[in-house]
Amino acid sequence: MAEKILKYLSENEEVNTLKLAEKFQEDHQKIIGFLKSIQANGDLVIAEPVSQKNIELTEEGKLVANQGSHEANIFNVVPKEGISQADLMKLPNAKVGFSKAMSNGWVLVDKIVNPPLVKRKVPEIKDSVQEHLKLVDAGKSSELTEKDKAEYKKRKLIQESLIKSFVLKKGPDFSLTLNKLETDLTSEMLANGTWKTSKFKEYNFDALGVPPSSGFLHPLLKVRAEFRQIFLEMGFSEMPTNNYIESSFWNFDALFQPQQHPARDAHDTFFISDPQFSYKFPESYVEKVKTVHSKGGYGSQGYGYDWKLEEAQKNLLRTHTTAVSSRMLYQLGQQKEFKPIKLFSIDRVFRNETLDATHLAEFHQVEGVIADYHLSLGDLIGVFSEFFKKLGITELEFKPAYNPYTEPSMEIFCFHPGLKKWIEIGNSGIFRPEMLSPMGLPKDVTVIAWGLSLERPTMIKYGFNNIRDLVGPKVDLEMVQRSPICRLTK
Ligand code: FB9
């Protein structure tokens, strides 16, 4: 095609690309593409950009050109005996059609009869609107008067567009053939000297790179990476959470959660049938836990029930990563000398809950824990406020809450600027002495902690309403490839 264009230009002084598109029955944009490939070969042609106003039919104009004007259609449906206005108005575009038919003097309203009837005023009509629009469709809008064009523009039957094209003339390096453009400078060219006469294709620095066919991170893992980065920036170290299966002892008893607590019921927890029990626990620590549950201690009256080892031995899918926090805090309490510590975890937890659009039987819990001397509720609020600030959340409110292992406890809420409403964003508290003292932590050491999920912020960030569009067997894997880079700050 490029050489056809050059040949045409060799026989004509100049030509517009629109004319070439018509002559070669080719799309105009393709002609422009061939022009670009000719220009890449050097100054074979001179291309002068030109714009011309073009009149074309609107969608409604195309309808009228095909099916007749609204006024003509109204005239054609009016029977000799007349028709009520109410019946006439049931037709498409009847209001416009009736009004134009009246102003054209094609129909009248006979008010002598009741109800008044619309009747023909003339025996026949000429639908000049349809004829004119057919001319426009055939590219002959120049045959219309300016008055008609103004009328049809006002009725939104035609519209003006600007068509950009090029007027081509022979350039200084005009040729009927295109030299092959080299794309690479090769060692052969350098050796045999052809590089001196070869023509090289220009680099297109705007060309997009080939999209990587490598792997893509799931949105949840992108948000996890963002949360992990925030914790690391704040000086937290990650806890080893690579055990989904946990004993009831570390998941509940070590947290001073009584064995009768409803959360320990099979309706809320997934218990493991094989291996059903764990047997290895630090013996002296188990005794302290048993005592603090059944008789109290450390200033607490305890729960006063008959604590059973068999209950604590039951294996389960951990219901929170706080089970890992309890293991870590026990290890800290066993150290010869206490050292303050900041820990975090982000991993899967499992709850035998009612499933719905935003809840599955598992989710990723995010937890931050700090152990130091004399930490207060103010320290807790300060730390998680800093954490949430790094997510772009600054307007926080708190509500007293209950957790078996923290006192006081608070639910955390924020006004989400995107959702324009208050939403719950997590839970927090100060671990109870009944949990910390049996671990061997010094009396003046307090441990503050807060938690949230990974799924809720991810769903909000990526605009998911149903958790199953984010995780599970029905996830559209292309969504993983499409999801943009995750940046959680404002
Ligand atoms: O994540 C939650 N909401 C949330 C978090 C961030 C967020 O970011 C958006 C960008 C702005 C948006 C929303 N929630 C906690 C609140 C609710 O979604 C709640 O309905 C669901 N909760 C889960 C548990 O529900 C059974 C989220 C999960 C949760 C709740 C509490 C903890 C951890 C996860 C905790 C804790 C804790 C408390 C004290 C000491 C140690 C740990």
Side-chain angles (χ1 to χ4, degrees):
M1 176 57 82
E3 294 189 342
K4 275 181 163 180
I5 293 172
L6 291 169
K7 183 164 185 321
Y8 186 91
L9 208 46
S10 69
E11 295 156 0
N12 296 273
E13 268 311 299
E14 63 181 41
V15 65
N16 185 300
T17 48
L18 287 167
K19 169 91 174 146
L20 289 171
E22 189 185 339
K23 175 174 177 52
F24 295 131
Q25 285 302 294
E26 188 59 81
D27 180 76
H28 183 240
Q29 285 310 311
K30 283 194 178 165
I31 296 293
I32 300 299
F34 290 121
L35 168 62
K36 298 293 180 202
S37 64
I38 292 169
Q39 290 174 311
N41 253 264
D43 298 332
L44 284 79
V45 299
I46 296 166
E48 183 195 345
V50 291
S51 299
Q52 61 198 67
K53 274 189 182 175
N54 179 45
I55 290 182
E56 59 191 17
L57 297 181
T58 61
E59 285 310 310
E60 187 177 352
K62 288 173 189 167
L63 190 75
V64 170
N66 290 332
Q67 298 173 6
S69 65
H70 306 323
E71 53 270 34
N73 293 335
I74 286 293
F75 177 83
N76 292 331
V77 299
V78 173
K80 282 198 176 32
E81 67 277 13
I83 178 174
S84 75
Q85 210 155 340
D87 289 346
L88 197 57
M89 287 302 132
K90 290 173 188 166
L91 294 172
N93 303 302
K95 194 173 175 189
V96 172
F98 173 68
S99 152
K100 292 300 290 178
M102 286 289 281
S103 59
N104 288 353
W106 293 353
V107 296
L108 56 81
V109 178
D110 178 352
K111 295 179 180 171
I112 297 171
V113 294
N114 188 25
L117 290 180
V118 177
K119 293 181 179 176
R120 292 187 179 186
K121 198 174 174 184
V122 293
E124 60 181 17
I125 53 136
K126 179 178 175 240
D127 191 354
S128 52
V129 172
Q130 182 182 28
E131 287 174 12
H132 289 164
L133 295 189
K134 283 185 173 180
L135 286 174
V136 171
D137 205 23
K140 298 176 179 171
S141 56
S142 56
E143 296 181 26
L144 271 62
T145 64
E146 288 309 314
K147 182 170 178 271
D148 284 339
K149 284 182 203 172
E151 165 73 7
Y152 301 145
K153 251 188 249 169
K154 189 176 164 199
R155 289 180 65 177
K156 293 187 173 39
L157 297 174
I158 62 173
Q159 61 194 3
E160 273 187 5
S161 60
L162 205 56
I163 293 206
K164 293 178 181 172
S165 58
F166 294 89
V167 174
L168 306 185
K169 294 174 183 167
K170 299 181 192 60
D173 298 339
F174 183 77
S175 156
L176 283 171
T177 56
L178 290 180
N179 299 325
K180 180 178 170 299
L181 283 181
E182 300 298 341
T183 51
D184 297 307
L185 175 62
T186 62
S187 51
E188 289 76 14
M189 288 174 174
L190 294 171
N192 61 26
T194 55
W195 62 272
K196 295 174 189 161
T197 53
S198 299
K199 287 202 173 294
F200 289 89
K201 189 171 186 186
E202 282 187 24
Y203 277 106
N204 173 8
F205 292 104
D206 299 326
L208 291 177
V210 175
S213 58
S214 60
F216 297 82
L217 268 184
H218 187 280
L220 264 186
L221 303 184
K222 287 180 177 160
V223 175
R224 183 179 68 175
E226 286 292 290
F227 279 16
R228 179 174 281 141
Q229 185 55 31
I230 290 172
F231 275 117
L232 294 174
E233 279 171 10
M234 294 176 70
F236 285 70
S237 307
E238 189 154 13
M239 291 187 253
T241 56
N242 54 329
N243 66 303
Y244 293 161
I245 293 178
E246 184 56 275
S247 65
S248 297
F249 179 75
W250 290 108
N251 198 81
F252 295 122
D253 297 280
L255 295 170
F256 194 55
Q257 188 145 349
Q259 293 185 336
Q260 313 88 325
H261 191 283
R264 297 185 66 154
D265 188 284
H267 294 300
D268 288 50
T269 298
F270 290 110
F271 287 96
I272 305 296
S273 55
D274 183 16
Q276 192 171 5
F277 301 106
S278 290
Y279 299 99
K280 287 186 183 171
F281 303 108
E283 274 187 41
S284 63
Y285 176 47
V286 170
E287 280 312 306
K288 288 177 182 154
V289 170
K290 175 177 180 170
T291 306
V292 79
H293 277 246
S294 51
K295 297 174 185 156
Y298 317 102
S300 165
Q301 64 180 21
Y303 293 115
Y305 71 93
D306 178 16
W307 184 87
K308 296 214 180 308
L309 179 59
E310 301 71 37
E311 191 57 41
Q313 290 172 326
K314 285 180 182 175
N315 286 330
L316 47 73
L317 286 178
R318 65 179 176 216
T319 62
H320 48 194
T321 51
T322 319
V324 183
S325 307
S326 70
R327 283 177 178 270
M328 299 301 284
L329 291 169
Y330 172 71
Q331 285 174 21
L332 187 66
Q334 297 305 297
Q335 305 304 312
K336 287 191 178 52
E337 185 193 346
F338 170 75
K339 287 189 187 125
I341 195 167
K342 293 193 283 192
L343 297 169
F344 78 94
S345 59
I346 308 176
D347 212 331
R348 290 164 74 171
V349 297
F350 309 86
R351 298 192 185 178
N352 193 355
E353 283 194 328
T354 311
L355 310 183
D356 62 23
T358 56
H359 289 87
L360 292 174
E362 61 177 272
F363 65 92
H364 287 75
Q365 179 173 341
V366 179
E367 180 163 315
V369 180
I370 305 179
D372 201 343
Y373 295 103
H374 311 300
L375 290 178
S376 67
L377 203 56
D379 295 307
L380 174 58
I381 291 173
V383 170
F384 68 55
S385 299
E386 184 59 23
F387 174 83
F388 283 114
K389 186 178 169 188
K390 289 176 181 287
L391 299 180
I393 300 171
T394 52
E395 203 178 343
L396 299 182
E397 296 281 352
F398 316 110
K399 199 166 97 180
Y402 172 75
N403 294 319
Y405 38 85
T406 54
E407 186 58 38
S409 309
M410 295 184 303
E411 284 172 347
I412 310 164
F413 294 82
C414 86
F415 184 80
H416 190 275
L419 301 175
K420 293 188 176 39
K421 63 179 183 177
W422 284 93
I423 57 171
E424 183 186 350
I425 57 172
N427 193 304
S428 64
I430 300 179
F431 285 124
R432 300 179 61 149
E434 295 93 330
M435 170 184 159
L436 302 179
S437 299
M439 293 178 169
L441 288 163
K443 267 183 73 60
D444 52 357
V445 165
T446 41
V447 183
I448 58 177
W450 76 100
L452 61 152
S453 73
L454 201 57
E455 283 75 5
R456 287 295 291 135
T458 305
M459 287 177 72
I460 291 173
K461 172 77 188 168
Y462 286 93
F464 287 107
N465 295 319
N466 190 317
I467 186 80
R468 289 162 187 77
D469 296 332
L470 180 66
V471 291
K474 294 185 179 166
V475 162
D476 162 18
L477 283 184
E478 283 188 8
M479 171 280 290
V480 177
Q481 295 182 14
R482 273 196 315 270
S483 14
I485 293 172
C486 171
R487 277 284 173 273
L488 288 171
T489 45
K490 271 193 217 176

